[in-house]
Amino acid sequence: MARKTATDDLLAPVTIAVGQEDLLLDRAVQEVVAAARAADADTDVRDLTPDALQPGTLAELTSPSLFAERKVVIVRNAQDLSADTIKDVKSYFGAPAEEITLVLLHAGGAKGKGLLDAARKVGAREVACPKMTKPADRLAFVRGEFRATGRSATPEACQALVDAIGSDLRELASACAQLVADIEGVIDESVVSRYYTGRAEASSFTVADRAVEGRAAEALEALRWAMSTGVAPVLITSALAQGVRSIGKLASAPRGARPGDLARDLGMPPWKIDRVRQQMRGWSADGVAAALTAIAEADAGVKGGGDDPEYALEKAVVAVARAARSRT
């Protein structure tokens, strides 16, 4: 979920939503608009792009009204505003109009940083909307979606949903909403499998799980399904690498360490420690090295270094499954 800092007053004079995750940016806007319309059903909402906010436009939009109407002014991609318009916005920060909430959506980064700094200096309400590139971030997002509705979902169910849906936050949010609406009681892994079995079978993580467990035939079947449904080859090599690295990390961890300590030290949730521990039974150190070499070769092949990405992936999957039995 988006992280909020400074004041949590949704109707603060200025809100800045910072980041590149479109769903979170949209939610930040929706929260402010909903709060404004709860206070005044006739709230006027103006949603602007940088080219629509010319020098002087903000002054016109925020000028006093005879009817004292509440207004929300939304400026998207604020980092792309012209220098003259940025001066107008900074000037507005010093004397914001009553009954008006200004919402600036900013990608973050160096471009337009002066505008962010000025907003923070005057105590603007800030909502962090970072791009969720790590699987752990998406897993936390799914947990937050269920928690926000007051529903319980098992860790395995949350992970299965991320594995099945992938990296699209809008699709993950939609899937959570569907499960909450349709299912009573605790949402578990069997429910997710029943709803998203086709997606789960095509998941890059399903391919990786079957391969690191040494189940070559099932891994190849999942791979062909994944390829036929449009899963990007680079996602499959990434999942394979993640699976093998997890085994390598756990294998090199101190023996007898508690799952909670391992989870913290290795950056894995406790339930994943248990899963990887089961997967690593047939692995050896040489097997991990050989598997990572095969995955690196496949990764180069799917990124233009070979003529047949599917064949490169098949070779990698077979190599990983063989390495999973290297100890025996």
Side-chain angles (χ1 to χ4, degrees):
M1 297 178 67
R3 299 189 302 277
K4 301 170 186 175
T5 59
T7 175
D8 277 341
D9 179 9
L10 290 168
L11 297 181
V14 180
T15 287
I16 50 175
V18 185
Q20 300 179 40
E21 192 61 69
D22 290 340
L23 174 65
L24 300 184
L25 290 167
D26 286 345
R27 284 185 173 181
V29 170
Q30 292 164 8
E31 282 185 334
V32 173
V33 171
R37 286 184 169 156
D40 181 353
D42 295 324
T43 294
D44 181 20
V45 178
R46 303 294 181 91
D47 198 331
L48 308 171
T49 55
D51 59 325
L53 195 67
Q54 297 299 317
T57 303
L58 184 60
E60 294 176 9
L61 291 172
T62 58
S63 60
S65 168
L66 291 175
F67 303 101
E69 64 180 356
R70 181 174 291 279
K71 186 179 294 184
V72 177
V73 179
I74 304 154
V75 181
R76 297 183 183 273
N77 299 312
Q79 72 278 358
D80 295 330
L81 290 172
S82 68
D84 288 338
T85 302
I86 287 177
K87 289 180 182 178
D88 286 354
V89 176
K90 287 182 178 180
S91 177
Y92 177 79
F93 289 162
E98 292 185 10
E99 302 298 311
I100 292 178
T101 298
L102 176 63
V103 183
L104 301 175
L105 275 57
H106 193 294
K111 188 176 182 182
K113 186 174 183 296
L115 182 61
L116 283 182
D117 291 341
R120 288 165 175 156
K121 188 174 182 180
V122 299
R125 172 178 176 266
E126 181 169 349
V127 183
C129 306
K131 197 73 175 176
M132 294 192 180
T133 57
K134 298 179 180 178
D137 292 338
R138 294 191 287 273
L139 183 59
F141 171 80
V142 167
R143 289 173 176 164
E145 290 292 285
F146 287 125
R147 190 162 50 245
T149 62
R151 296 295 302 278
S152 296
T154 66
E156 294 80 6
C158 293
Q159 184 63 55
L161 196 59
V162 172
D163 290 349
I165 301 297
S167 60
D168 191 311
L169 232 58
R170 292 187 188 278
E171 289 194 28
L172 282 170
S174 177
C176 291
Q178 181 181 25
L179 291 171
V180 166
D182 292 357
I183 303 300
E184 296 182 359
V186 176
I187 297 166
D188 59 21
E189 189 174 11
S190 65
V191 169
V192 175
S193 297
R194 186 166 75 246
Y195 269 69
Y196 300 101
T197 182
R199 299 290 294 273
E201 289 172 0
S203 165
S204 55
F205 289 100
T206 300
V207 178
D209 282 342
R210 297 297 85 79
V212 299
E213 290 163 3
R215 295 153 66 179
E218 293 177 41
L220 287 171
E221 182 181 357
L223 172 64
R224 290 171 189 133
W225 187 290
M227 297 296 288
S228 69
T229 55
V231 175
V234 292
L235 294 180
I236 297 173
T237 55
S238 176
L240 285 168
Q242 183 176 327
V244 175
R245 289 194 191 105
S246 294
I247 286 170
K249 286 180 180 179
L250 189 57
S252 61
R255 292 184 178 275
R258 294 180 299 178
D261 294 335
L262 287 172
R264 183 187 64 250
D265 295 340
L266 302 181
M268 301 180 194
W271 65 265
K272 189 172 183 180
I273 295 290
D274 293 336
R275 176 184 287 184
V276 175
R277 185 171 279 146
Q278 293 175 351
Q279 292 174 333
M280 65 182 283
R281 290 172 180 169
W283 284 84
S284 66
D286 288 342
V288 170
L292 289 175
T293 298
I295 293 167
E297 292 174 354
D299 192 55
V302 302
K303 291 178 178 176
D307 297 328
D308 190 341
E310 187 168 352
Y311 177 63
L313 287 171
E314 288 180 354
K315 283 182 61 180
V317 165
V318 170
V320 171
R322 185 181 298 120
R325 300 180 180 279
S326 56
R327 180 178 292 178
T328 56

